[in-house]
């Protein structure tokens, strides 16, 4: 929940934050009290005074003789050489935000509330840049600042527009035909006015200043949970005045610090990002060598190529920008010895991004409602296949392959769903769909009409279970004798196995044949009908492999675990099988804690192959998937849109636009290409 929903007073925020500094998570800074490290540094150069009355943030771009400084001023952008000499100016309006993403410069005009993108040319650094947006991004509120970055997670460029009402708009900037267009994908919220921000592609972090309160960190991934975490707080922490600009310094070896302007003390605070944002000290920009110091750090700072840039609106001869050698700060604070060792890039950035080509209509209920999908394959026309999906607050959906609702059965709080074909009931074959029903603590049983693709209830009355809370579920069809089973698990981790048998004529009931404990809460499961294996995800622990036949008992082996595989972060949730020929194929597992999906070899010992994420599609208008509960995968062709099958994931945060949860569909060949998997199997079997 955005913090602004329940904290509107900056005084209250500060009070709570001050309490948190001594008692909360490791993400809080270390206070050093009277022993604060303070170093005086001097600017090595400064720009000529601005031709306007005030200056904002400045950015350094390019190298050597072609390096340029772009300065935000009251009437557009001024351009200076690396030596500080004025070169040119362009644009217009009251520019209070600048950001560089490669050779694209973004400018925020707070008078028109517009974000514009400009194409820079390194071979002609003084040439007037060309506008990349035919239609600038127009914010829906008064703006204070902006930052942007290119995500290493999905390769997309994002801009963050800071509203004076505490709302932060996150926009995805998409390129097509040499132009850039913006699409708002989510909002973040603080209690009071944010002013400055900086994003870190290495950790996918967004740092934001709330002037009257402190510094916050958000996860910049648009699919991530929207919960800010405190970095430092005014008065109770290491900030003595309004929080001003932010900058990030990251070395090639992974060492990283966050720089924050403390306007009240005229200090630049330094925080160690490799040590829980521990405060390392502060720098004062003092007068030296004919260049005056900076008495007010309230207008923005930035860092690039070993240089710290600071806006100085108290300059004796007019507002300008100061250039400070970063090594002087690092040496003065002895960062080489005091800073934590660099960290390897987090494992999630090895994940391969893919995008959904289709998303289903949202479920009717809000909150955590959609859960688990499965696929019905049409017997004659693969393109008419359906996606079945649970709404655990009310019923069971089926969707056509374009995402439209085909049928909705309001049968109760069905949690997980699965399907099997040619189930022999009373000597007649049926295609049966079963689901755990938490309303009745039962197993719901439906027959699929192969002609219409409509489901009808064929339960022989309510098929009650002895479970306190029916949770996950999957089906198994024995290659040994053709029997079909339902395996369901209770919230306490106990697995029950029932055989599907005939009840009254044309009706189906369950008969319990086995029960065993997994250890703790489990949900996602899948059975391999060809090998007789049963896989179940114990959410906080591991993916386990059991036998699926009733007589195999509780013997098991571990496929993977949260402790042994750094690509996994609990909860482990949905799991499914991509069937290849002759026992080949893959296990696919939802790693809910880091919004990713892990792929393992179907054959023992089930080697880990890699992980992928589902991210927003460029130009499709379809967002990614996150916080996934259930998933399914099929190798069967489903028409021209999915010639090699598909991956289907429940989307726990359906954004852009913000709607109820739904399901995302990804062509399997996109995943195979991303992870370098074997050529898709072209299996046609149901």
């Amino acid at each position: 929940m955005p913090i602004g929903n329940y904290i509107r007073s900056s005084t209250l925020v500060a009070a709570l934050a001050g309490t948190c500094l001594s008692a909360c998570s490791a993400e809080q800074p270390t206070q050093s009290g009277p022993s604060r490290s303070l170093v005086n540094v001097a600017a090595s150069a400064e720009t000529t005074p601005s031709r306007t009355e005030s200056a904002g943030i400045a950015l350094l771009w390019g190298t050597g003789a072609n390096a340029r400084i772009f300065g935000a001023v009251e009437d557009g952008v001024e351009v200076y050489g690396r030596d500080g000499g004025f070169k040119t100016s362009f644009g217009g309006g009251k520019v209070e935000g600048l950001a560089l993403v490669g050779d694209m410069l973004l400018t925020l005009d707070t008078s028109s509330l517009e974000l514009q993108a400009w194409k820079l040319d390194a071979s002609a650094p003084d040439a007037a840049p060309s506008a990349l947006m035919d239609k600038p991004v127009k914010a829906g509120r008064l703006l204070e600042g902006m930052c942007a970055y290119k995500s290493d997670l999905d390769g997309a460029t994002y801009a963050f527009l800071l509203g004076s009402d505490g709302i932060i708009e996150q926009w995805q900037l998409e390129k097509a035909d040499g132009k850039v267009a913006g699409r708002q994908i989510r909002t973040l919220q603080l209690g009071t006015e944010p002013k400055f921000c900086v994003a870190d592609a290495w950790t996918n972090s967004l740092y934001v200043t709330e002037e009257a309160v402190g510094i916050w960190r958000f996860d910049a991934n648009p699919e991530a949970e929207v919960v800010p975490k405190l970095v430092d707080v005014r008065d109770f922490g290491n900030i003595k005045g309004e929080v001003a600009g932010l900058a990030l310094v990251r070395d090639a070896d992974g060492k990283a610090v966050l720089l924050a302007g403390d306007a009240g003390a005229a200090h630049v605070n330094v925080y160690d990002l490799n040590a829980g944002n521990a405060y390392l000290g502060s720098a004062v920009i003092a007068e030296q060598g004919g260049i005056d110091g900076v008495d007010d750090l309230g207008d923005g700072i930035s860092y690039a190529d070993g240089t710290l840039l600071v806006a100085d609106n108290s300059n004796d001869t007019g507002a300008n920008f100061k250039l400070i050698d970063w090594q002087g700060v690092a040496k003065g604070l002895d960062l080489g010895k005091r800073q934590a060792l660099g960290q390897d890039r987090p494992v999630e950035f090895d994940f391969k991004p893919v995008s959904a080509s289709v998303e289903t209509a949202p479920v009717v209920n809000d909150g955590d409602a959609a859960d688990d999908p499965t696929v019905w394959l049409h017997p004659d026309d693969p393109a008419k296949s359906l996606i079945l999906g649970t709404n655990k607050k009310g019923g069971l959906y089926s969707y056509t392959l374009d995402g439209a609702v085909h049928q909705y059965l309001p049968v109760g709080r069905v949690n997980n769903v699965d399907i099997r074909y040619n189930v022999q009931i009373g000597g007649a074959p049926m295609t049966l769909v079963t689901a755990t029903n938490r309303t009745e603590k039962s197993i719901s049983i439906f027959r699929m009409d192969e002609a219409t693709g409509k489901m009808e209830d064929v339960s022989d009355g309510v098929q009650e279970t002895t479970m306190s809370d029916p949770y996950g579920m999957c089906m198994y069809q024995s290659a040994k004798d053709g029997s079909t089973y339902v395996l369901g698990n209770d919230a306490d981790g106990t697995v029950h196995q029932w055989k599907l048998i005939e009840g009254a004529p044309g009706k189906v009931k369950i008969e319990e044949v086995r029960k065993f404990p997994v250890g703790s809460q489990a949900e996602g499961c899948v059975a391999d009908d060809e090998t007789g294996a049963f896989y179940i995800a114990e959410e906080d622990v591991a993916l386990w492999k059991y036998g699926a036949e009733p007589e195999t008992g509780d013997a098991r082996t571990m496929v993977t675990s949260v402790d042994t595989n750094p690509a996994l972060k609990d909860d482990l949730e949905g799991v499914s099988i991509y069937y290849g020929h002759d026992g080949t194929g893959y296990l696919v597992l939802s790693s809910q804690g880091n919004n990713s999906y892990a792929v393992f070899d179907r054959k023992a010992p089930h080697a880990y192959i890699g992980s992928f994420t589902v991210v927003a599609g460029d130009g499709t208008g379809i967002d990614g998937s996150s916080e996934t509960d259930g998933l399914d995968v099929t190798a069967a062709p489903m028409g021209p849109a999915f010639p090699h099958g598909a991956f289907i994931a429940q989307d726990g945060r359906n954004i852009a636009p913000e709607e109820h949860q739904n399901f995302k569909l990804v062509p399997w060949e996109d995943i195979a290409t991303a992870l370098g998997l074997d050529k898709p199997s072209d299996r046609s079997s149901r």
Side-chain angles (χ1 to χ4, degrees):
M1 176 183 296
I3 195 167
N5 285 359
Y6 52 86
I7 300 177
R8 302 304 302 173
S9 164
S10 61
T11 302
L12 179 58
V13 174
L16 291 175
T19 302
C20 195
L21 279 173
S22 62
C24 290
S25 74
E27 190 135 0
Q28 312 308 329
T30 301
Q31 295 190 78
S32 54
S35 61
R36 288 168 59 107
S37 297
L38 191 65
V39 59
N40 287 333
V41 295
S44 57
E46 63 181 338
T47 68
T48 57
S50 169
R51 299 185 178 190
T52 66
E53 293 183 357
S54 64
I57 190 171
L59 302 176
L60 176 63
W61 173 75
T63 58
N66 286 343
R68 293 293 181 267
I69 297 168
F70 298 102
V73 296
E74 283 189 343
D75 187 22
V77 179
E78 293 183 340
V79 185
Y80 308 87
R82 183 69 184 258
D83 61 359
F86 178 82
K87 296 289 186 179
T88 187
S89 63
F90 66 91
K94 189 176 182 180
V95 176
E96 292 193 70
L98 292 178
L100 277 166
V101 181
D103 60 357
M104 181 173 67
L105 177 69
L106 299 174
T107 61
L108 176 67
D109 180 354
T110 58
S111 60
S112 64
L113 308 180
E114 290 183 343
L115 175 74
Q116 178 60 275
W118 305 86
K119 173 69 174 178
L120 302 177
D121 185 352
S123 65
D126 298 326
S130 56
L132 289 172
M133 289 180 170
D134 291 331
K135 184 179 180 180
V137 166
K138 184 79 171 182
R141 52 189 32 86
L142 294 176
L143 296 176
E144 295 293 333
M146 176 271 295
C147 61
Y149 85 125
K150 182 177 181 179
S151 170
D152 284 348
L153 184 63
D154 58 16
T157 296
Y158 297 102
F160 301 89
L161 307 185
L162 310 182
S164 60
D165 56 358
I167 301 295
I168 303 167
E169 298 179 0
Q170 183 170 358
W171 290 73
Q172 183 173 348
L173 304 181
E174 300 170 328
K175 291 185 178 180
D177 301 324
K179 291 293 184 178
V180 174
R183 178 167 65 98
Q184 187 175 347
I185 55 175
R186 70 167 177 170
T187 59
L188 312 173
Q189 187 168 350
L190 291 174
T192 59
E193 178 179 272
K195 179 67 176 177
F196 297 98
C197 62
V198 67
D200 180 17
W202 189 287
T203 61
N204 226 52
S205 299
L206 173 71
Y207 297 93
V208 183
T209 68
E210 190 177 2
E211 285 186 305
V213 179
I215 306 168
W216 299 94
R217 174 192 173 274
F218 289 92
D219 192 322
N221 176 9
E223 298 292 340
E225 188 176 10
V226 185
V227 177
K229 295 183 179 179
L230 188 65
V231 175
D232 200 357
V233 67
R234 179 177 173 179
D235 299 329
F236 298 95
N238 302 292
I239 302 169
K240 302 309 173 187
E242 285 190 347
V243 191
L246 292 176
L248 189 75
V249 181
R250 186 175 287 282
D251 295 336
D253 63 0
K255 286 187 176 181
V257 294
L258 177 71
L259 309 180
D262 184 341
H267 294 170
V268 176
N269 287 357
V270 182
Y271 303 89
D272 192 341
L273 296 185
N274 290 336
N277 304 315
Y279 169 74
L280 294 172
S282 300
V284 176
I285 303 166
E287 180 178 358
Q288 184 175 308
I291 301 178
D292 62 336
V294 179
D295 299 325
D296 185 349
L297 285 168
D299 299 298
I301 61 175
S302 71
Y303 170 85
D305 194 27
T307 301
L308 177 64
L309 287 92
V310 177
D312 184 7
N313 280 302
S314 60
N315 186 56
D316 292 340
T317 57
N320 73 347
F321 303 98
K322 300 291 196 291
L323 287 73
I324 297 97
D325 182 0
W326 170 249
Q327 288 304 314
V329 180
K331 182 177 180 181
L333 293 176
D334 200 15
L335 297 184
K337 294 182 179 179
R338 299 177 58 208
Q339 196 177 349
L341 293 176
Q343 298 176 341
D344 291 334
R345 186 167 289 240
V347 68
E348 61 260 33
F349 295 106
D350 292 330
F351 297 169
K352 306 303 182 184
V354 298
S355 298
S357 59
V358 174
E359 63 179 338
T360 68
V363 298
V364 68
N365 293 95
D366 62 2
D368 186 19
D371 196 285
D372 187 45
T374 194
V375 176
W376 172 69
L377 300 170
H378 192 280
D380 302 314
D381 187 349
K384 293 181 180 178
S385 299
L386 300 173
I387 305 301
L388 312 183
T390 62
N391 169 17
K392 60 190 175 188
K393 291 188 176 183
L396 180 62
Y397 280 94
S398 67
Y399 304 92
T400 54
L401 293 183
D402 61 0
V405 174
H406 179 70
Q407 184 182 18
Y408 182 59
L409 299 172
V411 293
R413 297 185 297 120
V414 290
N415 206 73
N416 283 45
V417 64
D418 207 353
I419 190 170
R420 286 298 184 273
Y421 307 89
N422 196 31
V423 181
Q424 298 298 316
I425 300 294
M430 295 184 180
T431 296
L432 292 183
V433 176
T434 63
T436 41
N437 192 318
R438 301 170 81 176
T439 299
E440 299 173 333
K441 298 184 179 180
S442 67
I443 302 297
S444 295
I445 308 172
F446 307 93
R447 179 176 184 172
M448 177 67 76
D449 186 317
E450 298 278 6
T452 65
K454 295 294 181 71
M455 295 174 283
E456 61 174 339
D457 191 337
V458 291
S459 303
D460 187 12
V462 176
Q463 297 301 297
E464 295 180 351
T465 69
T466 58
M467 294 190 289
S468 62
D469 186 13
Y471 214 60
M473 186 225 69
C474 53
M475 296 177 71
Y476 169 62
Q477 198 164 52
S478 173
K480 184 171 65 174
D481 62 10
S483 298
T484 303
Y485 301 91
V486 174
L487 293 106
N489 51 76
D490 207 337
D492 65 1
T494 302
V495 175
H496 298 252
Q497 184 169 357
W498 303 273
K499 185 177 181 179
L500 293 176
I501 61 175
E502 185 180 24
K507 299 293 184 180
V508 185
K509 64 181 182 180
I510 59 174
E511 177 183 74
E512 187 164 306
V513 295
R514 180 189 184 197
K515 183 170 72 173
F516 60 92
V518 170
S520 63
Q521 182 170 297
E523 182 176 3
C525 66
V526 67
D528 190 325
D529 293 349
E530 294 180 352
T531 67
F534 169 66
Y535 302 90
I536 187 166
E538 187 179 5
E539 293 185 352
D540 296 332
V541 183
L543 177 66
W544 299 102
K545 178 182 179 180
Y546 293 81
E549 295 290 340
E551 65 272 13
T552 53
D554 59 2
R556 68 182 185 181
T557 57
M558 180 187 291
V559 175
T560 190
S561 73
V562 174
D563 288 340
T564 61
N565 189 335
L568 302 178
K569 185 174 181 181
D570 53 329
D571 292 350
L572 305 182
E573 291 282 349
V575 59
S576 189
I577 298 170
Y578 185 88
Y579 285 94
H581 293 290
D582 302 321
T584 62
Y586 308 99
L587 296 171
V588 184
L589 173 68
S590 168
S591 175
Q592 191 181 69
N594 55 13
N595 303 319
S596 69
Y597 310 93
V599 179
F600 302 84
D601 196 329
R602 181 183 168 207
K603 289 185 176 181
H606 308 296
Y608 171 66
I609 295 171
S611 295
F612 65 94
T613 57
V614 179
V615 302
D618 194 6
T620 66
I622 300 175
D623 62 306
S625 63
S626 55
E627 209 168 79
T628 292
D629 288 323
L631 60 80
D632 197 19
V633 63
T634 180
M638 296 194 299
F642 303 99
H644 303 289
F647 167 81
I648 305 99
Q650 178 259 4
D651 182 11
R653 277 187 289 272
N654 187 23
I655 61 176
E658 294 184 4
E659 296 180 312
H660 295 169
Q661 295 177 345
N662 69 350
F663 300 91
K664 302 296 196 285
L665 283 69
V666 181
W668 178 259
E669 60 268 26
D670 293 355
I671 297 168
T673 299
L675 291 178
L677 306 179
D678 292 338
K679 183 180 179 181
S681 66
D682 294 315
R683 280 181 67 108
S684 59
S685 172
R686 298 206 301 168

